[in-house]
Amino acid sequence: MKRLGFILFTLMLSFSIPFNAYAMHIAEGYLSLNWCVFYFVLAAPFIFLSVKELRKNIKRNSDIKMLLALMAAYVFMMSALKLPSVTGSSSHPTGTGLGAIVFGPIAMVIISVVVLLFQALLLAHGGLTTLGANVVSMGIIGPFIAYGVYRLLKKKNQSIAVFSACALGNLFTYVVTSIQLGLAFPSPEGGPLASMIKFAGVFAITQVPLAIVEGIVSVIIYDFIKKHCSKEVLELEEALM
């Protein structure tokens, strides 16, 4: 298990070295104070439940600590792979869909908080004031959508279930981001709805291909995890039933 962890961590680290830093997530200072406070308040109960759930899982099986660390590294690596968008911002994979499948959606909230916090402080991606808004889109909505899709499809075909869950989890993260930006910056003509559609259309150009790629990568990694960490994954799946 330790040897596997070292190999995966080294591979993820090699891909996570940043190059040019484009705006990522919702940037620092981009939202007004009232929206920042609103999203922090909205995310707070999920963060509390996530910490509680994570402690319970670790108490049940301490061997998953390495797998949790690897999943956090995977989310960090995936969300640091940026593809510049036509707005000057960026699109990126999220990695949270795969984490939701393995650990459950609520556990991914605190992992997303840690990842987004490190990216804001170390890479200047996202921001501290917009941390709540980014957690809502990437750490709450995305993982819950991914987990719901996986549970719906897993009895039919597991590979299709993993692919669909991770791809749709990725897309819905950006749907929520488009809603957040649309509400914060309503269009003079058409209001928030028109603004949401514009943001979503811009993101879709780069995000749809990225979602497909994330789905494929997630299937490969999930099969790898199942093969080498079958005991831990089985116990987690039983706990989530």
Side-chain angles (χ1 to χ4, degrees):
M1 181 69 179
K2 290 183 179 179
R3 185 179 177 184
L4 168 64
F6 176 77
I7 293 172
L8 282 176
F9 180 76
T10 303
L11 180 62
M12 291 173 182
L13 188 62
S14 68
F15 282 106
S16 66
I17 299 172
F19 295 95
N20 295 326
Y22 297 91
M24 185 177 178
H25 314 299
I26 299 179
E28 182 71 60
Y30 205 65
L31 297 179
S32 61
L33 179 61
N34 60 327
W35 282 115
C36 292
V37 172
F38 171 77
Y39 290 118
F40 270 112
V41 172
L42 184 62
F46 290 93
I47 296 172
F48 172 78
L49 291 173
S50 183
V51 172
K52 188 177 179 180
E53 178 70 14
L54 212 58
R55 286 178 176 173
K56 186 172 70 174
N57 286 336
I58 293 173
K59 187 176 181 180
R60 185 186 300 115
N61 182 2
S62 61
D63 292 336
I64 68 168
K65 289 180 181 179
M66 177 63 76
L67 193 56
L68 277 166
L70 288 171
M71 189 58 65
Y74 171 74
V75 173
F76 184 92
M77 179 272 293
M78 291 292 278
S79 57
L81 296 175
K82 304 170 294 298
L83 184 64
S85 175
V86 295
T87 59
S89 62
S90 70
S91 292
H92 60 85
T94 64
T96 55
L98 181 61
I101 292 171
V102 177
F103 293 103
I106 195 66
M108 290 309 298
V109 179
I110 191 61
I111 289 178
S112 297
V113 170
V114 172
V115 168
L116 289 166
L117 188 59
F118 268 80
Q119 289 181 349
L121 294 175
L122 301 179
L123 304 179
H125 299 158
L128 297 179
T129 60
T130 57
L131 182 62
N134 291 325
V135 168
V136 169
S137 61
M138 180 174 151
I140 299 174
I141 303 299
F144 272 91
I145 290 292
Y147 184 71
V149 171
Y150 175 72
R151 289 296 300 271
L152 186 66
L153 299 177
K154 75 171 188 173
K155 291 184 179 180
K156 297 178 181 179
N157 186 298
Q158 192 168 68
S159 294
I160 292 176
V162 173
F163 171 83
S164 302
C166 295
L168 289 174
N170 177 303
L171 287 176
F172 270 88
T173 294
Y174 271 84
V175 168
V176 174
T177 300
S178 299
I179 293 172
Q180 291 171 327
L181 293 174
L183 290 172
F185 302 98
S187 174
E189 297 180 3
L193 181 59
S195 187
M196 292 174 200
I197 293 172
K198 288 179 182 178
F199 278 113
V202 167
F203 283 132
I205 297 171
T206 48
Q207 202 61 35
V208 170
L210 281 176
I212 294 171
V213 171
E214 180 172 346
I216 294 170
V217 170
S218 298
V219 171
I220 295 170
I221 295 179
Y222 183 76
D223 289 341
F224 187 80
I225 292 173
K226 287 276 284 187
K227 181 179 178 181
H228 294 277
C229 311
S230 55
K231 179 184 176 183
E232 290 85 351
V233 173
L234 182 61
E235 289 181 358
L236 285 167
E237 286 183 346
E238 289 177 351
L240 291 170
M241 292 297 288

